[in-house]
């Protein structure tokens, strides 16, 4: 089945690989998706898709698929300061795409999209790994992907190999891309609860800048809630991770403002895991015969919940370029240039938000005391991450407005 050649070989059948494979196969492109796992389990991955990502999901035709699979439509984003709801935002009314958040159980989303890719005509090889890519070293020579299965190793030719194999991407490493990583400033711990006593119509966002921490509760349907605790690195003696730390996780959420009684009848129904809150990315995620998408290209700091949306932006941009241009090398480079632009913009804005909302110490407190009241009076100084994502203004003028430098600098 895997011998011979395909138009495209995609390493990884996560959100990025499965969505791209489904769309390409549906357009008549001979597509092979190689997925390491045979069944999906809770890996504490993204389950809350921002409204700007839902716009991408609609454009790619997977929004309906996910809803039919039980994805949960979340119309409101509720921000709390302490225990008091400070703002409840109606997302469909206030975002440019008029879209809500879409939340889902990640393993179920992966299964649905990979099955859909198969139904569209992609060949899906499960329990198999891309372990090597020989890149066409002469012009016009196609790359060859080496795939390891239980039955041995197969070599498959393709016009293009796509690395959609996640934040620890093998394809990225074997294709020789240079990896960049921000210093780790935040730690994100997450776990799945069932039976929290809170409305399922809102993402609940507790931000506590004075303590350098936040808690986020994403309802994913059927009374289940993916819950995260985010804190400044070094603030705690150790990351909150592992089943022995569920009590500590709950207490940390309560410290951040989540009412304790929400948890009274709740139970933990998945692993508790912690991850570094830092971006990992490559510049120009294409080298001609190999192109990277999703977390393999740029895993944005999970604390800000943009990875799913960014992955779908990658899929849509790459797909459009490939379908519009017979020269796939040129198409893949065009995607990579575009990726550098929108990922770079998002990266800048997330950095500003991390500085403002999480940094600790007297000067950080002073900066917040100066800036946050200005945001309250002029809300358009703050980035619209849920609605605009990378299109939220991020140029020098936006930076000066964000840090309120436009008011305090001497004229001229
Ligand atoms: C703690 C945490 C919380 C997050 N929360 C959010 C959130 O709330 N909202 C949000 O938008 N994003 C969030 N994210 C980010 C989001 O999960 C990712 O951006 C998204 O899952 C990336 O999708 P992907 O398809 O690129 O990679 P993945 O989902 O990692 O999929 C990669 C696939 O490739 C397979 N694979 C790996 N290596 C190989 C190989 N060599 N050969 C074949 N297959 C291979 C893997 O088995 C996997 O199925 C979070 C991330 C973390 C870590």
């Amino acid at each position: 089945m895997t011998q011979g050649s395909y138009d495209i070989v995609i390493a990884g059948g996560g959100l990025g690989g499965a969505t791209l494979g489904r769309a390409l196969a549906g357009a008549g492109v001979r597509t092979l998706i190689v997925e390491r796992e045979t069944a999906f389990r809770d890996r504490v991955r993204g389950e809350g898709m921002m409204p700007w990502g839902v716009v991408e999901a609609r454009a790619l035709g997977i929004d309906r698929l996910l809803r039919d699979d039980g994805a949960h439509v979340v119309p409101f984003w509720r921000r709390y300061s302490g225990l008091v709801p400070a703002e409840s935002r109606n997302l469909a009314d206030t975002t440019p795409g008029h879209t809500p958040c879409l939340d889902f159980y990640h393993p179920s989303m992966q299964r649905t999209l990979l099955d859909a890719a198969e139904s569209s005509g992609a060949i899906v090889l499960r329990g198999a790994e891309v372990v090597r890519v020989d890149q066409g070293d002469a012009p016009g020579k196609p790359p060859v992907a080496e795939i390891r299965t239980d039955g041995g190793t197969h070599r498959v030719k393709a016009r293009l190999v796509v690395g959609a194999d996640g934040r620890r991407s093998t394809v990225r490493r074997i294709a020789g891309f240079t990896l960049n990583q921000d210093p780790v400033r935040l730690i994100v711990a997450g776990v799945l609860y069932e039976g929290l006593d809170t409305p399922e119509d809102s993402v609940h966002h507790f931000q506590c800048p004075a303590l350098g921490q936040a808690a986020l509760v994403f309802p994913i349907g059927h009374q289940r809630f993916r819950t995260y605790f985010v804190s400044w690195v070094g603030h705690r003696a150790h990351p909150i991770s592992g089943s022995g730390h569920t009590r500590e996780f709950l207490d940390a959420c309560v410290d951040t403002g989540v009412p304790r009684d929400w948890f009274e009848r709740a139970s933990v129904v998945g692993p508790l895991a912690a991850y570094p809150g830092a971006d990992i990315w490559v510049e120009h995620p294409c080298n001609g015969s190999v192109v990277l998408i999703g977390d393999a290209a740029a895993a944005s700091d999970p604390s800000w919940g943009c990875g799913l949306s960014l992955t779908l932006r990658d899929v849509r941009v790459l797909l459009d370029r490939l379908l519009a241009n017979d020269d796939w090398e040129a198409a893949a480079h065009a995607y990579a240039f575009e990726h550098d632009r929108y990922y770079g913009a998002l990266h800048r804005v997330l950095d500003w938000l991390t500085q403002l909302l999480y940094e600790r110490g007297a000067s950080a407190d002073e900066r917040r005391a100066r800036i946050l009241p200005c945001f309250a009076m002029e809300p358009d100084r703050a980035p619209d991450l849920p609605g605009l994502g990378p299109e939220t203004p991020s140029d020098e003028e936006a930076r000066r407005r964000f840090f309120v430098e436009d008011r305090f600098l001497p004229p001229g």
Side-chain angles (χ1 to χ4, degrees), residues 21-154:
R22 172 181 174 273
L24 285 171
V29 173
R30 292 175 310 130
T31 304
L32 174 67
I33 303 176
V34 183
E35 168 52 48
R36 189 167 53 196
E37 306 293 334
T38 49
F40 299 113
R41 65 199 154 77
D42 184 355
R43 293 178 297 149
V44 190
R45 284 292 193 276
E47 299 188 333
M49 189 183 286
M50 297 261 190
W52 68 275
V54 177
V55 173
E56 302 293 356
R58 284 189 183 166
L60 289 161
I62 60 165
D63 173 60
R64 173 56 54 198
L65 263 179
L66 294 174
R67 288 180 193 220
D68 289 348
D69 183 49
H72 187 64
V73 173
V74 185
F76 299 102
W77 189 288
R78 209 173 283 213
R79 284 178 195 283
Y80 300 76
S81 95
L83 296 179
V84 187
E87 182 205 23
S88 184
R89 176 175 180 188
N90 182 323
L91 295 164
D93 283 355
T94 60
T95 53
H98 304 291
T99 40
C101 278
L102 192 62
D103 296 358
F104 41 71
Y105 185 51
H106 196 107
S108 168
M109 172 276 289
Q110 259 192 284
R111 194 175 48 245
T112 297
L113 293 180
L114 208 47
D115 288 351
E118 212 160 17
S119 305
S120 294
I123 303 296
V124 178
L125 203 56
R126 299 165 202 255
E129 255 183 303
V130 173
V131 290
R132 190 184 148 108
V133 181
D134 288 336
Q135 296 165 66
D137 41 11
K141 192 169 166 230
V144 176
E146 201 168 293
I147 298 164
R148 192 160 56 208
T149 67
D150 278 352
T153 301
H154 311 263

Side-chain angles (χ1 to χ4, degrees), residues 135 167 169-182 279-287 290 292 295-299 339-340 343 347:
Q135 296 165 66
R167 52 193 288 121
S169 172
T170 302
V171 171
R172 181 177 65 206
R173 179 173 47 76
I174 56 187
F177 287 96
T178 303
L179 192 59
N180 303 287
Q181 170 154 14
D182 280 337
D279 280 46
I280 308 170
W281 76 100
V282 303
E283 303 287 347
H284 197 76
C286 166
N287 68 8
V290 176
L292 305 176
D295 276 11
H339 183 277
D340 284 353
Y343 166 68
H347 190 189

